[in-house]
Amino acid sequence: MGDHNKYTTKTMPYKFNLLYRLSRDGNTAEAFHRKCDNKGATIIIIKIGGSEQIIGGYNPFNWDSRSGYKLTYDSFIFSFTDRRDTKTASVGYSGGISSVGCYSTNGPIFGGYFYCRSDGSIWTAYSTNYFNLSGFPNKSIIAEDYEVFQVIKQLNM
């Protein structure tokens, strides 16, 4: 793989706007929804406490509090078993079933079993309904912190 696979600040086709940070904005589902609902596509990044692992997911839809699931093949979840080594990355794409869940009592939900519990720092992290993913915890985890970024397509790209 050569340098032709890397974006620069001038060629990046997306802008990432930080909407929510657990340590800054509070550890409640209400705080997540207040900051993230109706903002369009987002990417969630979670630093797992006591490790160097980062996991997360991409939601191409708006978050909301309507109590239901949205179906798509365009959502994905990911894992970096070592946040300092991009070679440890793995991505699993939605099978189109329970891709993204929106409930007022929870933060982000992916696939039904990868979700933020109501207190914000404890996650259930199973890769159910997302396929071909290695290195995912498949257990309950404690987030050292997590962030939600709005993904904005650059118009001039």
Side-chain angles (χ1 to χ4, degrees), residues 36-144:
C36 301
D37 280 6
N38 303 309
K39 302 289 186 182
T42 54
I43 192 161
I44 312 297
I45 300 172
I46 303 156
K47 168 68 171 73
I48 297 177
S51 79
E52 293 301 320
Q53 187 168 13
I54 291 178
I55 61 174
Y58 170 73
N59 171 12
F61 303 116
N62 283 318
W63 292 108
D64 61 55
S65 300
R66 295 188 187 143
S67 296
Y69 280 89
K70 299 175 181 185
L71 311 179
T72 183
Y73 292 99
D74 295 331
S75 181
F76 62 85
I77 61 176
F78 60 88
S79 171
F80 288 85
T81 54
D82 182 345
R83 66 188 175 105
R84 293 167 285 173
D85 185 355
T86 57
K87 293 177 184 162
T88 67
S90 181
V91 177
Y93 288 88
S94 174
I97 301 168
S98 300
S99 305
V100 176
C102 296
Y103 291 86
S104 63
T105 55
N106 290 86
I109 301 173
F110 293 91
Y113 296 98
F114 174 28
Y115 63 93
C116 180
R117 297 185 191 168
S118 59
D119 73 349
S121 61
I122 299 175
W123 287 70
T124 297
Y126 292 90
S127 59
T128 307
N129 299 328
Y130 284 79
F131 302 102
N132 301 320
L133 180 66
S134 62
F136 209 74
N138 289 316
K139 63 181 181 179
S140 290
I141 57 121
I142 296 176
E144 184 176 304

Side-chain angles (χ1 to χ4, degrees), residues 3-14 16 154 157:
D3 286 342
H4 66 279
N5 291 324
K6 296 179 182 177
Y7 289 117
T8 67
T9 54
K10 292 183 180 188
T11 62
M12 176 63 72
Y14 298 96
F16 299 93
Q154 300 280 33
M157 294 287 146

